[in-house]
Amino acid sequence: MVVGGGIVGLATAYRLLEARPALRLVLLEKEPELATHQTGRNSGVIHSPNTYVPGSLKARLCREGMDAALAFADAHSIPYEICGELIVATAPVELPRLAAIAERARRNGSHIRELGPEAMREIEPQVVDSADST
Protein backbone atom coordinates (compact mmCIF):
# COMPACT_ATOMS: atom_id res chain seq x y z
CA MET A 1 0.00 0.00 0.00
CA VAL A 2 1.18 3.50 -0.83
CA VAL A 3 -0.34 6.46 1.00
CA GLY A 4 -0.51 9.72 -0.90
CA GLY A 5 -1.12 10.53 -4.55
CA GLY A 6 1.41 13.31 -4.87
CA ILE A 7 4.76 13.11 -6.61
CA VAL A 8 6.43 11.02 -3.89
CA GLY A 9 3.57 8.53 -3.57
CA LEU A 10 3.09 8.20 -7.32
CA ALA A 11 6.82 7.84 -7.98
CA THR A 12 7.05 5.21 -5.25
CA ALA A 13 4.12 3.28 -6.68
CA TYR A 14 5.58 3.54 -10.18
CA ARG A 15 8.96 2.17 -9.10
CA LEU A 16 7.38 -0.64 -7.07
CA LEU A 17 5.29 -1.74 -10.05
CA GLU A 18 8.25 -1.36 -12.38
CA ALA A 19 10.34 -3.63 -10.14
CA ARG A 20 7.50 -6.09 -9.46
CA PRO A 21 4.93 -5.98 -12.29
CA ALA A 22 2.76 -8.70 -10.72
CA LEU A 23 2.45 -6.77 -7.45
CA ARG A 24 -1.07 -5.81 -6.43
CA LEU A 25 -0.82 -2.25 -5.19
CA VAL A 26 -3.28 0.06 -3.46
CA LEU A 27 -2.70 3.81 -3.60
CA LEU A 28 -4.62 5.81 -0.99
CA GLU A 29 -5.31 9.49 -1.58
CA LYS A 30 -7.59 11.60 0.61
CA GLU A 31 -8.42 14.09 -2.14
CA PRO A 32 -10.83 13.38 -5.02
CA GLU A 33 -7.98 13.81 -7.56
CA LEU A 34 -4.25 13.09 -7.65
CA ALA A 35 -1.62 15.79 -7.26
CA THR A 36 -3.95 18.44 -5.86
CA HIS A 37 -1.52 19.97 -3.38
CA GLN A 38 2.17 20.87 -3.88
CA THR A 39 2.66 18.49 -6.81
CA GLY A 40 -0.21 20.11 -8.70
CA ARG A 41 1.37 23.53 -8.26
CA ASN A 42 4.66 22.54 -9.81
CA SER A 43 5.96 25.05 -12.36
CA GLY A 44 6.95 22.28 -14.76
CA VAL A 45 10.53 23.55 -14.87
CA ILE A 46 13.27 20.93 -14.96
CA HIS A 47 16.22 22.61 -13.31
CA SER A 48 19.80 22.31 -14.46
CA PRO A 49 22.75 21.97 -12.06
CA ASN A 50 24.25 25.33 -13.01
CA THR A 51 24.83 26.75 -9.54
CA TYR A 52 25.81 23.62 -7.62
CA VAL A 53 29.38 22.81 -6.64
CA PRO A 54 30.78 20.51 -9.35
CA GLY A 55 31.05 16.93 -8.14
CA SER A 56 28.69 17.54 -5.21
CA LEU A 57 25.75 15.27 -4.46
CA LYS A 58 23.34 18.10 -5.32
CA ALA A 59 24.97 18.62 -8.71
CA ARG A 60 24.99 14.89 -9.48
CA LEU A 61 21.38 14.31 -8.39
CA CYS A 62 20.17 17.40 -10.23
CA ARG A 63 21.84 16.22 -13.46
CA GLU A 64 20.58 12.63 -13.00
CA GLY A 65 17.06 13.85 -12.20
CA MET A 66 17.02 16.12 -15.24
CA ASP A 67 18.26 13.32 -17.51
CA ALA A 68 15.75 10.85 -16.04
CA ALA A 69 12.83 13.26 -16.42
CA LEU A 70 13.67 13.91 -20.07
CA ALA A 71 14.17 10.19 -20.76
CA PHE A 72 10.79 9.43 -19.15
CA ALA A 73 9.11 12.12 -21.25
CA ASP A 74 10.73 10.75 -24.41
CA ALA A 75 9.76 7.15 -23.57
CA HIS A 76 6.14 8.16 -22.99
CA SER A 77 5.84 10.69 -25.83
CA ILE A 78 5.33 13.56 -23.40
CA PRO A 79 6.10 16.82 -25.18
CA TYR A 80 8.52 19.29 -23.63
CA GLU A 81 10.60 22.25 -24.65
CA ILE A 82 14.19 22.86 -23.69
CA CYS A 83 14.18 26.64 -23.81
CA GLY A 84 17.13 27.27 -21.54
CA GLU A 85 17.44 29.85 -18.84
CA LEU A 86 18.82 33.34 -18.77
CA ILE A 87 21.15 34.08 -15.88
CA VAL A 88 22.06 37.75 -15.80
CA ALA A 89 24.21 40.11 -13.78
CA THR A 90 22.25 43.18 -12.74
CA ALA A 91 25.31 45.27 -11.91
CA PRO A 92 28.99 45.23 -12.93
CA VAL A 93 29.94 44.03 -9.45
CA GLU A 94 28.04 40.78 -10.19
CA LEU A 95 30.10 39.90 -13.30
CA PRO A 96 32.64 37.75 -11.39
CA ARG A 97 29.76 35.80 -9.83
CA LEU A 98 28.21 35.34 -13.29
CA ALA A 99 31.54 34.02 -14.57
CA ALA A 100 31.70 31.59 -11.63
CA ILE A 101 28.18 30.32 -12.40
CA ALA A 102 29.17 29.82 -16.05
CA GLU A 103 32.20 27.81 -14.99
CA ARG A 104 30.13 25.67 -12.59
CA ALA A 105 27.56 25.09 -15.32
CA ARG A 106 30.28 23.93 -17.75
CA ARG A 107 31.82 21.62 -15.13
CA ASN A 108 28.38 20.18 -14.35
CA GLY A 109 27.81 19.31 -18.00
CA SER A 110 25.41 22.10 -18.95
CA HIS A 111 25.57 23.50 -22.45
CA ILE A 112 25.87 27.26 -22.14
CA ARG A 113 26.13 30.24 -24.42
CA GLU A 114 27.24 33.63 -23.21
CA LEU A 115 25.08 36.38 -24.69
CA GLY A 116 25.37 40.13 -24.98
CA PRO A 117 22.54 42.57 -24.24
CA GLU A 118 21.02 42.49 -27.76
CA ALA A 119 20.88 38.68 -27.93
CA MET A 120 19.34 38.57 -24.45
CA ARG A 121 16.66 41.11 -25.42
CA GLU A 122 15.69 38.87 -28.35
CA ILE A 123 14.90 36.14 -25.81
CA GLU A 124 13.57 38.38 -23.03
CA PRO A 125 12.68 41.96 -23.96
CA GLN A 126 12.58 43.01 -20.29
CA VAL A 127 16.34 42.48 -19.88
CA VAL A 128 17.87 45.93 -19.77
CA ASP A 129 21.53 46.79 -20.21
CA SER A 130 22.58 48.81 -17.12
CA ALA A 131 24.14 51.38 -19.48
CA ASP A 132 20.65 51.87 -21.02
CA SER A 133 18.97 52.57 -17.69
CA THR A 134 20.97 55.65 -16.73
Side-chain angles (χ1 to χ4, degrees):
M1 177 182 336
V2 174
V3 177
I7 190 69
V8 173
L10 292 173
T12 301
Y14 178 80
R15 288 295 185 193
L16 285 169
L17 291 172
E18 185 179 57
R20 297 179 55 198
L23 180 71
R24 292 182 57 187
L25 186 129
V26 173
L27 181 102
L28 295 178
E29 172 55 48
K30 70 177 182 173
E31 302 297 342
E33 295 179 5
L34 298 174
T36 58
H37 294 284
Q38 187 65 30
T39 300
R41 289 161 183 76
N42 184 300
S43 66
V45 172
I46 298 174
H47 294 279
S48 57
N50 293 338
T51 59
Y52 298 129
V53 174
S56 68
L57 183 60
K58 277 187 171 184
R60 185 174 59 83
L61 292 178
C62 184
R63 166 61 61 193
E64 289 175 9
M66 183 177 80
D67 292 344
L70 296 176
F72 182 89
D74 288 340
H76 296 279
S77 300
I78 299 170
Y80 59 88
E81 176 185 2
I82 298 179
C83 58
E85 63 183 299
L86 221 47
I87 303 173
V88 300
T90 60
V93 70
E94 294 178 349
L95 290 173
R97 174 77 177 123
L98 188 62
I101 291 171
E103 181 56 27
R104 281 185 174 190
R106 282 186 196 96
R107 290 181 57 202
N108 284 326
S110 293
H111 303 287
I112 69 166
R113 289 185 303 147
E114 295 187 34
L115 306 173
E118 288 302 316
M120 284 189 286
R121 274 195 289 274
E122 287 178 23
I123 297 167
E124 175 49 67
Q126 297 300 314
V127 172
V128 177
D129 187 341
S130 60
D132 294 344
S133 61
T134 57

